[in-house]
Amino acid sequence: MAPIKVHGVSISSPTQRVLATLYEKELEFELVPVDMKAGEHKKEPFLSLNPFGQIPAFEDGDLKLFESRAITQYIAHQYADKGTDLACGDNKQKATIGVAIEVEAHQFDPAASKLTWELALKPVFGMVTDKAVVEENEAKLAKVLDIYEGRLAHSKYLTCDCFTLADLHHIPTIQYLLGTEAKKLFESRPHVSAWAADITARPAWCKVLALQKH
């Protein structure tokens, strides 16, 4: 039995973030499905892993973590010598990666996640998309992507010419949005478009997508 366990569902963006990191690191793990419809994430034993009742939760031996970005950073540093080096460079470079990770969490993700919900997920659940919310968040995301376009004119990835956690954290929501009308926000910016195509084609990410077909 693999010592690493991920409690979540394969269509959840935060869960996907962790799974992609594990695949990049070529680590063995067990995905433990959480029955969201039955509310398993809101009761024990799941709450002993994450008292806030949100997926994913993570176990590595006796270590228990939650919050996907904290989990990915633990994996990247604990298993630095495995697979892809997701935190490359010296301390100054790592600090730059840290900034980009914060930007994804606080600037990119709020708008991208709202658009994912409205454009990609609501239709699946038979719910009506709120066009006003879409319009507001497309404008917010466009401003972030304008900044990314300028940054990506100077390097292949967000912080340097190496793929890092900062890039990886964007993949789940970008994958969803490229299947919606919001793809225009990426396609209209050549450097962002090339970057999005590159990171969503990574073999580790393809393995995450394959999990959804089971």
Side-chain angles (χ1 to χ4, degrees):
M1 189 69 78
I4 295 177
K5 294 183 181 180
V6 181
H7 301 259
V9 293
S10 61
I11 64 165
S12 143
S13 294
T15 303
Q16 291 173 346
R17 210 172 275 130
V18 173
L19 298 177
T21 306
L22 288 166
Y23 280 131
E24 288 284 356
K25 285 294 182 184
E26 300 170 6
L27 296 169
E28 290 187 17
F29 65 91
E30 178 188 357
L31 177 59
V32 182
V34 177
D35 189 339
M36 308 284 282
K37 285 183 181 174
E40 279 185 3
H41 56 308
K42 297 297 184 184
K43 51 196 176 193
E44 294 292 357
F46 185 84
L47 288 176
S48 66
L49 297 170
N50 183 353
F52 295 98
Q54 296 173 315
I55 59 171
F58 175 88
E59 296 180 87
D60 187 0
D62 60 359
L63 176 69
K64 296 175 174 60
L65 298 174
F66 54 92
E67 292 295 344
S68 65
R69 294 170 185 84
I71 296 167
T72 63
Q73 290 179 77
Y74 163 75
I75 296 166
H77 293 109
Q78 178 68 14
Y79 299 98
D81 58 336
K82 305 275 191 186
T84 308
D85 184 359
L86 297 171
C88 60
D90 60 14
N91 285 337
K92 288 184 178 180
Q93 178 62 39
K94 285 180 171 63
T96 305
I97 294 169
V99 171
I101 286 172
E102 292 293 317
V103 169
E104 183 276 330
H106 301 294
Q107 305 293 338
F108 175 89
D109 191 64
S113 287
K114 285 190 177 77
L115 289 171
T116 297
W117 171 244
E118 292 292 339
L119 296 172
L121 298 177
K122 269 191 174 181
V124 173
F125 297 122
M127 300 166 71
V128 179
T129 297
D130 186 328
K131 289 181 179 174
V133 172
V134 170
E135 194 172 316
E136 176 190 348
N137 285 284
E138 281 188 344
K140 288 180 179 177
L141 187 58
K143 289 180 180 178
V144 177
L145 293 180
D146 281 342
I147 293 168
Y148 281 18
E149 181 69 10
R151 184 69 194 84
L152 290 162
H154 301 287
S155 59
K156 185 176 180 182
Y157 298 103
L158 282 177
T159 62
C160 57
D161 285 323
C162 301
F163 175 82
T164 73
L165 273 184
D167 304 288
L168 183 150
H169 285 179
H170 291 78
I171 299 176
T173 43
I174 287 179
Q175 183 71 57
Y176 274 121
L177 293 177
L178 290 178
T180 73
E181 67 180 58
K183 68 181 180 181
K184 65 178 183 275
L185 298 174
F186 297 87
E187 292 175 347
S188 61
R189 295 167 173 84
H191 294 104
V192 166
S193 181
W195 168 72
D198 180 292
I199 63 176
T200 55
R202 291 184 67 82
W205 178 244
C206 293
K207 290 179 182 178
V208 176
L209 294 179
L211 287 175
Q212 297 178 30
K213 296 171 184 169
H214 293 306

